Amino acid sequence: MFKSLLTKAGILLTIFSSGASAEPQVWLAKDNQRQFVLMGSIHVGSDALYPLPDAFNRYWPQADGLILEANIQKQFSMPAIDEAYFTRKLLPPSDIRTLRDLAAQLKLSSFSLLESPPWLTAMHLQMAQSLKFGLTPDKGIDQVVFNRAQKENLPIFELEGIEAQFRLLSSLPDHGLNLLQTTLNEWPLLEEEMTCLLTAWQQGNNAVLTELSQQVALSEETEQHLLIQRNYNWAKQLTISPQYQKGTFLVVVGAYHMMGEEGLPALLQKQGFTVQQINSAQPASCQSGIAKKTSGHRP
């Protein structure tokens, strides 16, 4: 469950649904002994997201393993959280009013949200938004490829695990307050942008996704914590870990981990892999309202 926020802009990814076959970008990173087939994931979804791209599926029969952020079926009990870190203690009064209003719209208990740490409150809001649009975790790409790998006895590897993701979130310097405030402040714009976001993701249009993600005002510290540092760690694991030294591996992680000069494909290229996108993006047929409103300014 924790991985649903662990992208640069989980609040963007959780509202994607689809009316046609999805075609996210797929990359191939290889050297003389091994190759990684990388695809960005949406952590919640619907039947309309499938089938997955041929560029990904054709490597499945020869794969030696599936690599995910976490083994999503491992059991994990969340430890008690200090009351001092609850949302009601950290969120400013004006934002608490916004939170209560949003909770009422989504038919959530504002009491429960306020009695959780900010990062968990943000997670609950995003999951409620996903359900509102008919998206569920069991139809998320991670879950679907995990189920297929289990059924076909394909080995499953994890880059960090659920417990590590909990530690990551709980160790945010502000206990996820920036993440929650971003969720609250960007909520109306994100709902307006759903169609454009969907079109860009379906068409694998990195330029539009990047433009949209840059308007999500996560602090630099939060972005480093949740995205950049993890990308570097994952690239290092794929490069030097003994279990990945030979063979073909399918890699499925949050879509925003694939983007930009510090995205996973770019970092693997810096590690000496030959990297290429193996399917084609189409021009997105929409323009970001967020971009138009901000005129390219990033907070």
Side-chain angles (χ1 to χ4, degrees), residues 151-214:
K151 183 178 180 179
E152 299 180 13
N153 296 315
L154 180 66
I156 299 171
F157 304 95
E158 58 181 2
L159 291 167
E160 49 195 20
I162 295 294
E163 185 174 352
Q165 292 183 340
F166 167 78
R167 290 197 303 267
L168 177 74
L169 285 164
S170 60
S171 67
L172 282 168
D174 58 1
H175 309 289
L177 185 61
N178 174 251
L179 194 63
L180 175 57
Q181 290 181 301
T182 299
T183 301
L184 294 172
N185 294 335
E186 299 288 352
W187 193 276
L189 285 177
L190 291 171
E191 293 207 345
E192 290 176 14
E193 292 299 316
M194 183 177 65
T195 301
C196 187
L197 291 166
L198 166 61
T199 301
W201 186 84
Q202 285 179 300
Q203 297 174 341
N205 193 292
N206 213 22
V208 171
L209 287 174
T210 299
E211 180 183 33
L212 291 167
S213 74
Q214 287 175 344

Side-chain angles (χ1 to χ4, degrees), residues 8-295:
K8 175 172 183 236
I11 45 183
L12 300 183
L13 296 182
T14 56
I15 64 173
F16 287 169
S17 62
S18 177
S21 296
E23 185 67 12
Q25 292 177 314
V26 180
W27 290 265
L28 179 65
K30 62 182 181 179
D31 62 13
N32 292 332
Q33 298 293 322
R34 56 202 162 148
Q35 55 185 5
F36 298 107
V37 182
L38 304 109
M39 181 175 66
S41 171
I42 294 177
H43 298 309
V44 292
S46 68
D47 287 332
L49 291 178
Y50 303 95
L52 293 174
D54 289 340
F56 179 81
N57 284 330
R58 69 171 175 259
Y59 284 92
W60 192 283
Q62 68 189 78
D64 296 292
L66 171 67
I67 303 173
L68 300 172
E69 295 179 27
N71 183 329
I72 53 185
Q73 289 193 352
K74 281 188 177 178
Q75 297 299 312
F76 170 67
S77 297
M78 189 168 67
I81 297 171
D82 192 317
E83 182 180 346
Y85 306 144
F86 285 178
T87 294
R88 63 178 167 82
K89 296 279 191 178
L90 300 174
L91 196 63
S94 60
D95 287 334
I96 287 180
R97 290 192 292 272
T98 301
L99 175 61
R100 290 185 186 276
D101 291 343
L102 189 55
Q105 295 174 33
L106 297 170
K107 296 181 170 54
L108 296 176
S109 166
S110 59
F111 175 82
S112 296
L113 294 174
L114 290 168
E115 295 295 304
S116 300
W119 61 264
L120 187 55
T121 300
M123 179 178 296
H124 286 313
L125 291 173
Q126 293 178 32
M127 185 55 65
Q129 188 183 55
S130 301
L131 296 173
K132 174 182 175 181
F133 289 106
L135 310 178
T136 59
D138 64 300
K139 295 297 176 64
I141 291 173
D142 312 70
Q143 183 70 63
V144 169
V145 297
F146 179 91
N147 291 344
R148 181 179 175 184
Q150 275 202 321
K151 183 178 180 179
E152 299 180 13
N153 296 315
L154 180 66
I156 299 171
F157 304 95
E158 58 181 2
L159 291 167
E160 49 195 20
I162 295 294
E163 185 174 352
Q165 292 183 340
F166 167 78
R167 290 197 303 267
L168 177 74
L169 285 164
S170 60
S171 67
L172 282 168
D174 58 1
H175 309 289
L177 185 61
N178 174 251
L179 194 63
L180 175 57
Q181 290 181 301
T182 299
T183 301
L184 294 172
N185 294 335
E186 299 288 352
W187 193 276
L189 285 177
L190 291 171
E191 293 207 345
E192 290 176 14
E193 292 299 316
M194 183 177 65
T195 301
C196 187
L197 291 166
L198 166 61
T199 301
W201 186 84
Q202 285 179 300
Q203 297 174 341
N205 193 292
N206 213 22
V208 171
L209 287 174
T210 299
E211 180 183 33
L212 291 167
S213 74
Q214 287 175 344
Q215 305 308 322
V216 179
L218 293 178
S219 69
E220 182 176 348
E221 189 172 23
T222 298
E223 181 178 330
Q224 284 287 331
H225 199 80
L226 294 183
L227 181 77
I228 304 301
Q229 292 175 11
R230 297 169 73 219
N231 288 350
Y232 277 93
N233 181 48
W234 294 351
K236 182 178 179 180
Q237 285 188 55
L238 294 176
T239 302
I240 69 174
S241 293
Q243 66 264 38
Y244 308 138
Q245 292 305 303
K246 185 176 181 179
T248 296
F249 299 92
L250 308 170
V251 182
V252 178
V253 298
Y256 276 91
H257 290 284
M258 300 291 179
M259 295 170 54
E261 294 182 359
E262 293 180 295
L264 198 51
L267 293 179
L268 287 174
Q269 189 169 38
K270 292 175 184 177
Q271 293 289 338
F273 289 86
T274 299
V275 179
Q276 65 181 99
Q277 186 180 332
I278 55 175
N279 62 346
S280 299
Q282 303 172 32
S285 56
C286 65
Q287 184 177 359
S288 162
I290 294 176
K292 287 185 285 187
K293 291 175 184 178
T294 58
S295 300

